[in-house]
Amino acid sequence: MAEDPKPEEITHQPMDQLQGFEYCIDSNPSWGEAIALGFQHYILALGTAVMIPTLLVPLMGGSDGDKVRVFQTLLFVGGINTLVQTLFGTRLPTVIGGSYAFIVPIMSIINDSSLREIADPHLRFLQTMRAIQGALIVASSVQIILGYSQLWGICSRFFSPLGMVPVIALVGFGLFDKGFPMVGGCVEIGVPMLILFIGFSQYLKNLQAKHLPIMERFALLISITIIWAYAQLLTASGAYKHRPNLTQIHCRTDKANLISSAPWIKIPYPLQWGAPTFDAGHAFGMMAAVFVSLIESTGAYKAASRLASATPPPAYVLSRGIGWQGIGVLLDGLFGTGTGSTVSIENVGLLGATRVGSRRVIQIAAGFMIFFSILGKFGALFASIPFTMFAAVYCVLFGLVASVGLSFLQFTNMNSMRNLFIVGVALFLGLSVPEYFREYTAASLHGPSHTKAGWFNDFINTIFSSSPTVALMVAVFLDNTLDYKDTAKDRGMPWWVKFRTFKGDSRNEEFYTLPFNLNRFFPPA
């Protein structure tokens, strides 16, 4: 008769840090490997950097040349923001890139009647860009104030591991519409890309060359190279010659018109589109997007800390990162990137897929972002990769980030009906409410909030179109009002409390201390 299993054989002890990472936040691969991994992060960052200008610039009246300049500017400022964030912000290995959270207020500016009346398309583009810049400059104050005043750090004291589960999970799951729906735009490229990436990164991960797991570390580069060549072959052979225009946009490698429109060398500079214009209504609507970006980034930073084998960022470090992110949005406004910035979720996922959470790798990626944004033709060459291929990779990487959010459940009591209620309701509403706002907007060409006050509409439609934001409001409210006094242990607070302050855990100093001995001037709270 078999012995009864021991308790330790059927349970897994909660662990502060994930297992199986060869390089954590402050350990570095060899320079050759780090450069290759940094280039891989740069390639992944191109997806959003190309997608946002491709979506917005034509609606603003811009030409292909304008689109390329906006793409270069977005990449250039993203590189600067990434360097600043990894050096002086949270110091986590996070790439900062363009954000979809800003689309609602930007579309409102694009459709402003005073701008739509401008007959000359190029002039309309310039005036619209200046209006977006002005709104971003003003709205950046939200993150700057909440960050540097430590107000966001104080707010974060109301977060528990239980409350953060739906927020971090929906940072990944909330982007489901950027995954397979876009893969379906060109199935013959997207599905092979998805299969190859999973096959190389998971099933062939033990294949090594000189003790280096090539397939696991560089699955993205290898699979993109193979499928890109395959897509080029299909395009050159005329496979899409008589297909619908939408199919050609998704499948062809030459449809973006980026390479022909890109200059050889162009350095983006502040106020390159002219002096920003300021409108109170536009700025107020943009503030909602900045707030959404702040919440999404908070979830992303907590996911990145686990995927870099670091401790959760203390309140002081989180506030410091948000403050610098506000400076990043200010730079977006000054340079004219066409959108605001946030943590790139796909790059956080890539930390897990490669099992390399090194800060140096991300700093090298920032160098590539800046370098190739100046060398226009070369940057445009890589940016001509069909977006369907990025969407296929997103299916894996967004899911990976979401599962990191679910991993916080190990610190809570999931046999508690209270906890099951909070997590289930927050997850469901976090997915369902934004889906309602998206479907309503697609059917009516305006959001559910449609009053005469445009700024109010932008504010409501932006806030409730973000899954992590809805999840945060629901989860944190329920978690801090439902039987909260007697449930600290069930919520995971005994584990969480030591990470609230910088000096609460000795490892914080190793992970989050500022470089160049700057902590002498900015002592952690």
Side-chain angles (χ1 to χ4, degrees):
M1 186 175 172
E3 289 184 26
D4 291 335
K6 297 172 184 174
E8 60 268 23
E9 292 175 342
I10 56 173
T11 59
H12 300 277
Q13 292 300 313
M15 298 184 71
D16 289 351
Q17 295 167 302
L18 292 173
Q19 294 176 298
F21 276 72
E22 191 169 340
Y23 301 105
C24 65
I25 186 169
D26 51 3
S27 61
N28 302 309
S30 66
W31 277 105
E33 189 181 346
I35 289 168
L37 285 163
F39 184 71
Q40 188 166 240
H41 274 277
Y42 156 72
I43 290 289
L44 186 60
L46 287 175
T48 304
V50 173
M51 189 65 179
I52 292 176
T54 302
L55 172 68
L56 295 176
V57 172
L59 300 175
M60 295 158 66
S63 63
D64 285 336
D66 295 325
K67 182 170 71 177
V68 167
R69 280 187 67 192
V70 173
F71 153 67
Q72 287 178 273
T73 305
L74 186 55
L75 206 57
F76 181 80
V77 176
I80 294 172
N81 286 339
T82 301
L83 271 182
V84 166
Q85 192 62 243
T86 53
L87 285 170
F88 309 116
T90 58
R91 306 216 69 218
L92 287 165
T94 49
V95 171
I96 307 297
S99 170
Y100 292 101
F102 293 80
I103 298 292
V104 172
I106 288 171
M107 289 300 294
S108 181
I109 293 172
I110 290 171
N111 293 319
D112 190 293
S113 56
S114 63
L115 294 168
R116 299 294 291 177
E117 288 168 2
I118 301 171
D120 179 14
H122 185 64
L123 184 60
R124 187 170 90 245
F125 166 75
L126 289 176
Q127 295 290 3
T128 307
M129 179 60 84
R130 291 169 191 169
I132 293 169
Q133 285 181 259
L136 284 170
I137 289 169
V138 175
S140 66
S141 61
V142 172
Q143 286 190 355
I144 293 171
I145 292 168
L146 284 174
Y148 291 125
S149 69
Q150 292 294 315
L151 274 172
W152 189 242
I154 293 167
C155 291
S156 72
R157 293 176 187 276
F158 292 97
F159 303 163
S160 69
L162 184 79
M164 281 291 99
V165 166
V167 180
I168 303 170
L170 291 187
V171 162
F173 287 145
L175 292 163
F176 66 88
D177 58 322
K178 306 287 186 296
F180 207 84
M182 290 190 170
V183 172
C186 189
V187 175
E188 59 267 39
I189 290 174
V191 171
M193 179 71 197
L194 178 60
I195 292 169
L196 272 189
F197 183 63
I198 292 174
F200 288 156
S201 65
Q202 301 303 315
Y203 291 95
L204 301 178
K205 64 184 177 186
N206 294 322
L207 281 181
Q208 296 192 351
K210 295 182 179 177
H211 305 293
L212 180 68
I214 295 284
M215 288 300 185
E216 183 180 54
R217 293 282 156 80
F218 305 109
L220 179 69
L221 279 181
I222 296 167
S223 50
I224 272 190
T225 303
I226 293 169
I227 301 297
W228 194 16
Y230 167 59
Q232 185 67 43
L233 192 66
L234 288 177
T235 302
S237 66
Y240 304 112
K241 197 171 283 183
H242 304 296
R243 300 287 289 278
N245 190 49
L246 196 60
T247 303
Q248 295 199 36
I249 290 170
H250 281 120
C251 298
R252 292 182 72 104
T253 55
D254 59 357
K255 202 64 183 173
N257 294 332
L258 290 174
I259 300 172
S260 58
S261 306
W264 280 102
I265 295 178
K266 181 80 176 179
I267 302 176
Y269 56 91
L271 309 183
Q272 59 188 332
W273 312 109
T277 57
F278 298 93
D279 179 283
H282 293 163
F284 197 80
M286 198 68 81
M287 284 179 182
V290 170
F291 185 66
V292 165
S293 160
L294 178 154
I295 290 170
E296 291 178 352
S297 296
T298 298
Y301 286 137
K302 291 188 181 294
S305 67
R306 276 188 76 68
L307 290 172
S309 291
T311 53
Y316 166 77
V317 172
L318 194 59
S319 276
R320 189 175 72 192
I322 294 300
W324 278 109
Q325 201 169 302
I327 300 289
V329 176
L330 179 64
L331 289 177
D332 290 328
L334 289 171
F335 278 82
T337 59
T339 186
S341 54
T342 190
V343 177
S344 171
I345 308 303
E346 55 269 32
N347 288 90
V348 173
L350 191 58
L351 299 176
T354 58
R355 301 198 196 195
V356 176
S358 166
R359 185 189 293 128
R360 178 184 289 172
V361 166
I362 301 302
Q363 290 168 340
I364 291 170
F368 278 120
M369 290 164 77
I370 294 169
F371 180 73
F372 282 115
S373 63
I374 294 171
L375 290 180
K377 292 283 187 194
F378 290 101
L381 171 66
F382 295 121
S384 66
I385 298 169
F387 188 77
T388 307
M389 290 165 61
F390 290 111
V393 178
Y394 292 169
C395 292
V396 176
L397 301 184
F398 289 161
L400 197 51
V401 172
S403 65
V404 170
L406 297 179
S407 76
F408 278 82
L409 289 172
Q410 68 183 302
F411 307 111
T412 68
N413 176 14
M414 289 315 290
N415 290 314
S416 157
M417 276 308 301
R418 171 196 180 274
N419 288 3
L420 291 173
F421 176 85
I422 291 170
V423 171
V425 171
L427 279 171
F428 186 83
L429 288 178
L431 285 170
S432 195
V433 172
E435 183 63 14
Y436 163 70
F437 271 70
R438 275 193 289 267
E439 287 184 8
Y440 192 107
T441 304
S444 308
L445 300 180
H446 60 75
S449 179
H450 189 55
T451 66
K452 290 182 180 178
W455 59 268
F456 178 77
N457 300 336
D458 290 346
F459 199 88
I460 296 297
N461 293 333
T462 301
I463 291 287
F464 290 100
S465 293
S466 163
S467 290
T469 307
V470 174
L472 181 98
M473 291 190 291
V474 174
V476 173
F477 175 78
L478 291 175
D479 193 34
N480 286 280
T481 54
L482 273 180
D483 305 326
Y484 69 96
K485 286 185 178 176
D486 305 319
T487 53
K489 190 175 179 182
D490 285 353
R491 297 163 66 205
M493 294 309 285
W495 172 77
W496 190 262
V497 73
K498 65 180 176 180
F499 301 119
R500 280 181 168 183
T501 59
F502 194 87
K503 294 177 180 175
D505 191 291
S506 58
R507 292 169 293 178
N508 289 338
E509 193 167 330
E510 175 191 349
F511 300 139
Y512 299 116
T513 298
L514 290 171
F516 317 124
N517 214 11
L518 287 173
N519 271 46
R520 286 184 306 164
F521 307 105
F522 307 101

